[in-house]
């Protein structure tokens, strides 16, 4: 025990000591001592400086616009090249089947998924700031595109009635339908690119902060539900309509189960076998990722084996299994998108642009933090915009980074975007030379690949118990984003989720945490008296703290909470005073004693006026003196022991005109009942706003503002000890106070 006490004393003596002795400062004194720097530059000078050309600014602009110039000249070939090549080949092997599969989600022929896995990668190498993300097709974005494509080019637009007989059923002109859907997807991608470029040039990279992590995770989990449901028909081999918009998930599930009796057993067996194999391989890769030199390429194994089996057993012709179909060899020449489709795609393009960017920047920041470099949100917007805009002329659909491929690229040793270049070369070889090999690939295999890749997103359901323990508001954001996106569709769901997230910000500012602070002895700390036993209030002083700024949305709440927490309500005190005055006036009519009224003046001393006890004299002066007695000369008992209130504005970041007026009004109300109000810990920025709002006028002056809470406490204690009590409830601004006694 003695050793513990000795150790405690040793620790105490070894601590750094914080000692300071100075006068109590208020804002009026500080303004006399501090000289503000004058801003000598005019708006014209600042603009000319901003747009002035120099070699340094040109170099900085070039490096910002082409980040590849910052790392490629110093690229260590011997150290990084082999790792990047191995990583690129491994990621390319994953990119191929995912490109084919996600094209199904986008409702376009599979080859367009390969195009979207080639062109954007080449462009991102030059303009992107992340060295580890894998750009290309992504399930969520592909599904959002597919919803728009199906809405604008549904099967019902392309039904053809046979000419050889009226009893034959109509069939869909798939060639015309696919061409129209490709045009819609390409035009949407062009718009997405334009929006992202414009937002990047306008420095709107900060918009990602409004897509908070719980919102994005809830939204992507809901998107995973959409993706999973959309693949059920391919897994079962049934023919159903593709739905989009509100309640599309319910309609899709209903359609699949309504037609489940027509399930293609061969497709189901092949799909389930691939599903189980891929899940086992994914689990092995996860469990033994530190021991495996490279992850087992389960997806490409499944694609190669299932393609061979499908070709050898003629699954398409003999067992009616749906296959990928024709994959043209080579690249298509560039073509201008159909801008006639633009008006109906603007809203959807904004949603795709924002979601694609938020997914990219979230993953890019994770890798940047892990490997010690920085990513620029605005440049990422521009890079993604250029990837989408330029690539759209070569028949691609919108892209972003993929979580699964990025993890493969990083875990296999990828160091820079040279790995992305190798990925694009792998895809190019397939498109130009051997794309036809994958034509017998069953669609149920692609559905299995997509479903297994959703496992990571479905694990985001684990967020619910964690958020329940940590933050109920963030849990609400997650659940609203999930439920709204599942039921209303991804576009409307995202809009509802963002709106709800903004409402939670308003709710938090309108429901801030408030406290009455007390001093912890022998420290300079002030803590909540309801939470800490060591915190004790000063007699007659209330220190009110709120962790929110004061503006139109919460100014009334701030004032009401102030009255409630401090227990001092000016309206109640005024009402009680009036009641006391009435009782004293009534009692004075029956009192025959002589009144001695002592009028105290701070500079002139004390004067006495003795009034006779004769009731006749009182009656003669009733009109002159009686009214005065009822308002000023009647003794009022103090109704509150609080003489000072300190407003701690440490957490206040801003104040608007409505908030300033509310604070001025409450200060005047407290002053009227002899409660002195001061402000403490106000930032210089907030003081500038108060000056702009002309806050310091009338009875409110700068000597009521103090740099710290302790300055304010010492001021209030000193003021109370040197100021006589005003027993009549007159305004403290008066220089004359009246004290009455009875003889």
């Amino acid at each position: 025990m003695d050793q513990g006490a000795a150790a405690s004393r040793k620790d105490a003596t070894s601590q750094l000591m914080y000692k300071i002795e100075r006068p109590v400062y208020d804002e009026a004194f500080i303004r006399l001592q501090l000289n503000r720097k004058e801003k000598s530059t005019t708006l014209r000078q600042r603009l000319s400086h901003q747009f002035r050309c120099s070699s340094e600014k040109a170099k900085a602009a070039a490096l910002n616009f082409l980040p590849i110039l910052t790392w490629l000249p110093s690229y260590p070939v011997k150290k990084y090249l082999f790792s990047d090549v191995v990583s690129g080949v491994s990621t390319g092997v994953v990119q191929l089947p995912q490109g084919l599969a996600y094209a199904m989600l986008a409702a376009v022929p599979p080859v367009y998924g390969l195009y979207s896995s080639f062109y954007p990668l080449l462009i991102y190498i030059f303009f992107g700031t992340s060295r580890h993300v894998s750009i290309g097709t992504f399930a969520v974005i592909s599904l959002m595109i597919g919803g728009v494509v199906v809405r604008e080019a549904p099967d019902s637009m392309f039904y053809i009635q046979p000419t050889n007989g009226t009893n034959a059923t109509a069939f869909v002109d798939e060639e015309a339908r696919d061409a129209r859907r490709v045009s819609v997807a390409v035009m949407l991608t062009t718009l997405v690119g334009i929006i992202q470029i414009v937002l990047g040039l306008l420095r709107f990279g900060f918009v990602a902060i409004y897509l908070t992590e719980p919102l994005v995770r809830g939204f992507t989990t809901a998107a995973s539900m959409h993706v999973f449901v959309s693949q059920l028909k391919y897994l079962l081999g049934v023919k159903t309509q593709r739905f989009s918009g509100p309640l599309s998930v319910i309609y899709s599930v209903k359609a699949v189960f309504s037609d489940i009796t027509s399930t293609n057993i061969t497709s189901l067996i092949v799909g389930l076998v691939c599903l189980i194999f891929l899940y086992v391989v994914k689990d092995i890769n996860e469990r033994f990722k530190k021991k495996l030199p490279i992850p087992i390429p389960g997806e490409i194994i499944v694609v190669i084996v299932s393609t061979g089996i499908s070709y050898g057993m003629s699954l398409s012709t003999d067992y009616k299994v749906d296959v990928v179909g024709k994959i043209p060899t080579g690249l298509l020449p560039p073509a201008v998108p159909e801008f006639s489709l633009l008006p109906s795609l603007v809203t959807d393009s904004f949603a795709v642009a924002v979601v694609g960017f938020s997914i990219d920047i979230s993953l890019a920041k994770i890798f940047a933090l892990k490997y010690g470099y920085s990513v620029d949100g605005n440049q990422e917007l521009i890079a993604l915009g250029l990837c989408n805009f330029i690539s759209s002329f070569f028949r691609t659909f919108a892209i972003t980074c993929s979580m699964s491929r990025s993890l493969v690229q990083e875990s296999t040793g990828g160091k820079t975007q040279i790995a992305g270049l190798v990925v694009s070369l792998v895809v190019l070889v397939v498109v130009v030379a051997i794309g036809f090999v994958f034509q017998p690939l069953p669609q149920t295999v692609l559905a299995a690949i997509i479903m297994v890749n959703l496992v990571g997103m479905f694990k985001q359901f684990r967020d619910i118990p964690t958020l329940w323990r940590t933050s109920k508001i963030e849990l609400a954001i997650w659940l609203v984003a999930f439920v709204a996106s599942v039921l209303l569709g991804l576009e409307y769901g995202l809009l509802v989720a963002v709106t709800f997230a903004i409402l939670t910000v308003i709710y938090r500012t309108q429901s801030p945490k408030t406290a009455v602070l007390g001093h912890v002895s022998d420290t300079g700390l002030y803590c909540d008296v309801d939470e800490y036993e060591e915190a004790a209030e000063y007699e007659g002083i209330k220190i009110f703290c709120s962790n929110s700024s004061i503006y139109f949305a919460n100014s009334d709440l701030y004032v009401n909470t102030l009255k409630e927490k401090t227990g001092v309500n000016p309206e109640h005190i005024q009402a009680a005073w009036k009641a006391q005055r009435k009782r004293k006036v009534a009692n004075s009519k029956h009192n025959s004693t002589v009144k001695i009224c002592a009028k105290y003046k701070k500079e002139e001393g004390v004067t006495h006026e003795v009034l006779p006890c004769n009731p006749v004299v009182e009656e003669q002066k009733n009109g002159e003196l009686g009214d005065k007695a009822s308002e000023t000369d009647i003794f009022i008992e103090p109704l509150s022991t609080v003489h000072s209130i300190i407003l701690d504005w440490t957490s206040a970041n801003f104040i608007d005109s409505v908030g300033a007026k509310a604070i001025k009004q409450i200060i005047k109300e407290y002053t009227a009942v002899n409660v002195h109000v001061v402000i403490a810990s106000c930032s210089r920025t907030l003081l500038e706003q108060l000056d702009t709002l002309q806050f310091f006028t009338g009875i409110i002056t700068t000597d009521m503002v103090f740099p710290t809470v302790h300055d304010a406490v010492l001021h209030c204690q000193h003021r109370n000890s040197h100021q006589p009590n005003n027993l009549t409830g007159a305004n403290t601004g008066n220089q004359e106070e009246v004290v009455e006694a009875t003889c």
Side-chain angles (χ1 to χ4, degrees):
M1 190 72 178
D2 294 338
Q3 293 179 353
S8 300
R9 286 194 298 271
K10 183 178 179 181
D11 291 340
T13 56
S14 63
Q15 287 182 336
L16 294 174
M17 300 302 294
Y18 175 28
K19 295 182 179 179
I20 186 170
E21 185 175 355
R22 61 169 175 79
V24 173
Y25 291 159
D26 58 32
E27 182 61 22
F29 176 80
I30 292 175
R31 294 192 179 193
L32 291 175
Q33 301 300 315
L34 298 180
N35 295 318
R36 185 185 297 273
K37 292 182 179 180
E38 294 184 2
K39 297 180 180 179
S40 58
T41 57
T42 62
L43 177 61
R44 181 179 179 181
Q45 290 173 328
R46 290 196 296 270
L47 289 175
S48 63
H49 176 74
Q50 186 70 25
F51 292 102
R52 183 180 301 164
C53 295
S54 65
S55 58
E56 292 80 6
K57 292 186 70 174
K59 181 179 178 181
L63 293 177
N64 287 333
F65 188 66
L66 289 170
I68 190 174
L69 298 178
T70 62
W71 57 267
L72 186 61
S74 58
Y75 180 79
V77 177
K78 293 182 180 180
K79 185 178 180 181
Y80 282 0
L81 184 59
F82 180 75
S83 298
D84 280 340
V85 171
V86 172
S87 174
V89 172
S90 303
T91 309
V93 167
V94 178
Q95 181 93 289
L96 287 171
Q98 287 191 1
L100 295 170
Y102 293 156
M104 293 170 54
L105 291 177
V108 295
V111 69
Y112 293 94
L114 297 179
Y115 298 155
S116 301
S117 301
F118 170 65
Y119 291 106
L121 274 168
L122 291 178
I123 299 169
Y124 186 83
I125 292 170
F126 294 92
F127 299 100
T129 58
S130 175
R131 302 174 191 173
H132 293 87
V133 297
S134 177
I135 295 296
T137 55
F138 184 59
V140 174
I141 298 298
S142 299
L143 185 67
M144 294 178 72
I145 295 169
V148 178
V149 165
V150 172
R151 185 194 70 205
E152 297 296 323
D155 288 343
S156 58
M157 290 179 59
F158 303 95
Y159 279 125
I160 298 177
Q161 292 290 342
T163 58
N164 57 355
T166 57
N167 294 329
T169 58
F171 64 93
V172 177
D173 185 353
E174 294 185 358
E175 186 175 347
R177 181 200 63 185
D178 290 345
R180 177 70 174 179
R181 289 182 173 181
V182 169
S183 298
V184 174
V186 168
M187 186 64 239
L188 179 66
T189 303
T190 305
L191 274 177
V192 169
I194 293 173
I195 290 170
Q196 289 175 333
I197 292 172
V198 171
L199 290 178
L201 293 175
L202 294 177
R203 321 304 290 172
F204 266 62
F206 69 89
V207 297
I209 64 176
Y210 292 101
L211 296 175
T212 178
E213 184 179 0
L215 187 152
V216 172
R217 292 175 72 85
F219 175 80
T220 52
T221 306
S224 303
M225 294 291 294
H226 281 275
V227 173
F228 184 86
V229 169
S230 70
Q231 296 308 296
L232 286 176
K233 67 177 184 179
Y234 297 107
L235 184 69
L236 299 174
V238 298
K239 306 287 186 181
T240 62
Q241 180 184 352
R242 179 164 177 167
F243 300 91
S244 62
L247 303 180
S248 59
V249 168
I250 297 176
Y251 295 145
S252 298
V253 172
K254 181 181 177 181
V256 169
F257 283 97
S258 297
D259 200 26
I260 199 169
T261 54
S262 61
T263 298
N264 187 307
I265 301 301
T266 306
S267 291
L268 180 60
I269 293 174
V270 172
L272 288 177
V273 170
C274 294
L275 198 67
I276 295 171
F277 175 78
L278 289 171
Y279 183 81
V280 171
V281 169
K282 193 177 187 70
D283 188 62
I284 292 174
N285 286 335
E286 183 67 26
R287 290 175 180 269
F288 302 101
K289 60 183 178 181
K290 294 183 179 180
K291 297 181 179 180
L292 294 172
I294 60 172
I296 300 173
E299 294 174 340
I300 198 65
I301 292 174
V302 163
V303 167
I304 294 173
V305 173
S306 59
T307 301
I309 293 175
S310 176
Y311 178 77
M313 298 181 64
S314 301
L315 295 182
S316 177
T317 56
D318 296 344
Y319 297 93
K320 307 301 180 184
V321 174
D322 293 328
V323 296
V324 168
K326 183 179 179 180
I327 297 179
T329 302
L331 300 173
L332 298 176
V336 178
E338 294 186 26
F339 284 91
S340 60
L341 300 170
L342 187 148
S344 59
L345 303 178
V346 174
T347 304
D348 303 292
S349 61
F350 266 101
V352 175
V354 173
V355 173
F357 169 66
S358 65
I359 294 171
D360 170 75
I361 195 65
S362 300
L363 200 57
K365 285 184 176 180
I366 292 174
F367 288 122
L369 183 64
K370 183 176 181 179
Y371 291 98
Y373 62 92
S374 61
V375 293
D376 184 354
N378 296 307
Q379 181 59 31
E380 281 295 297
L381 264 173
I382 294 174
L384 285 178
L386 290 172
C387 289
N388 285 315
F389 179 74
I390 297 175
S391 300
S392 66
F393 289 86
F394 297 91
R395 306 293 199 284
T396 65
F397 54 86
I399 51 84
T400 186
C401 71
S402 167
M403 184 179 300
S404 59
R405 292 197 308 272
S406 298
L407 291 175
V408 170
Q409 182 170 315
E410 183 253 351
S411 63
T412 53
K415 306 296 183 183
T416 65
Q417 282 298 333
I418 295 296
L421 176 63
V422 176
V423 174
S424 65
L425 294 177
V426 172
V427 176
L428 179 64
V429 170
V430 173
V431 172
V432 173
I434 59 175
F436 65 92
V437 173
F438 298 105
Q439 292 180 171
L441 176 63
Q443 291 186 0
T444 186
V445 175
L446 297 179
I449 292 173
I450 293 173
M451 288 180 171
V452 172
N453 278 308
L454 297 176
V455 171
M457 289 192 178
F458 284 136
K459 289 181 179 179
Q460 293 177 155
F461 280 111
R462 298 174 182 173
D463 295 346
I464 294 177
T466 302
L467 292 175
W468 174 261
R469 293 189 299 267
T470 57
S471 174
K472 302 294 191 300
I473 292 180
E474 289 187 321
L475 174 61
I477 293 174
W478 196 103
L479 292 175
V480 168
F482 175 78
V483 174
S485 300
V486 167
L487 297 180
L488 301 179
L490 298 182
E491 293 81 6
Y492 293 115
L494 179 63
L495 180 61
V496 170
V498 171
T499 303
F500 182 79
I502 294 173
L503 290 177
T504 61
V505 176
I506 298 174
Y507 169 77
R508 292 187 188 193
T509 60
Q510 287 187 316
S511 302
K513 179 177 174 57
T514 57
V516 172
L517 306 183
H519 182 245
V520 180
S521 60
D522 299 326
T523 71
L525 304 178
Y526 287 84
C527 301
D528 188 350
V529 295
D530 293 332
E531 292 188 13
Y532 298 93
E533 296 179 356
E534 294 81 3
E537 294 185 65
Y538 289 106
E539 184 179 357
I541 299 176
K542 292 287 185 179
I543 306 171
F544 178 74
C545 175
S546 174
N547 65 347
S548 174
S549 299
I550 306 167
Y551 65 111
F552 68 92
N554 70 348
S555 58
D556 289 340
L557 180 65
Y558 183 92
V559 170
N560 294 333
T561 309
L562 169 64
K563 295 176 183 178
E564 179 183 348
K565 283 281 187 178
T566 59
V568 184
N569 191 319
E571 297 174 357
H572 296 170
I573 295 177
Q574 291 280 17
W577 277 357
K578 290 180 181 179
Q580 282 193 20
R581 287 191 184 103
K582 289 180 181 179
R583 289 196 300 269
K584 293 294 183 180
V585 170
N587 292 336
S588 66
K589 293 181 180 180
H590 304 286
N591 188 357
S592 60
T593 58
V594 177
K595 292 185 178 180
I596 301 176
C597 295
K599 294 184 177 181
Y600 170 78
K601 294 184 179 180
K602 291 185 177 180
E603 297 181 358
E604 300 178 7
V606 179
T607 61
H608 299 276
E609 180 182 353
V610 180
L611 303 181
C613 296
N614 191 341
V616 177
V617 177
E618 285 194 21
E619 186 177 352
Q620 291 175 351
K621 296 191 176 183
N622 185 46
E624 178 182 346
L625 182 62
D627 294 339
K628 293 183 180 179
S630 66
E631 295 188 9
T632 58
D633 293 346
I634 299 300
F635 178 80
I636 301 297
E637 297 177 2
L639 298 175
S640 174
T641 58
V642 176
H643 58 76
S644 300
I645 293 177
I646 300 171
L647 305 180
D648 181 6
W649 282 6
T650 303
S651 302
N653 295 319
F654 68 92
I655 188 170
D656 66 358
S657 60
V658 177
K661 289 177 182 177
I663 297 300
K664 289 186 72 172
Q665 180 62 30
I666 195 62
I667 291 177
K668 291 177 181 178
E669 291 178 9
Y670 275 121
T671 302
V673 295
N674 298 330
V675 178
H676 185 53
V677 180
V678 297
I679 299 170
S681 299
C682 187
S683 68
R684 308 308 304 177
T685 303
L686 192 57
L687 284 168
E688 290 180 6
Q689 295 176 6
L690 293 175
D691 287 333
T692 304
L693 296 170
Q694 298 181 349
F695 181 78
F696 300 109
T697 56
I699 65 170
I700 302 175
T701 57
T702 53
D703 57 7
M704 297 170 62
V705 181
F706 297 87
T708 68
V709 173
H710 201 62
D711 281 293
V713 168
L714 295 177
H715 162 78
C716 293
Q717 289 178 329
H718 178 78
R719 180 181 183 278
N720 185 62
S721 63
H722 287 76
Q723 181 168 343
N725 290 329
N726 186 342
L727 299 179
T728 64
N731 193 313
T732 54
N734 297 342
Q735 294 297 315
E736 182 176 275
E737 298 184 10
V738 180
V739 180
E740 183 180 282
T742 303
C743 63

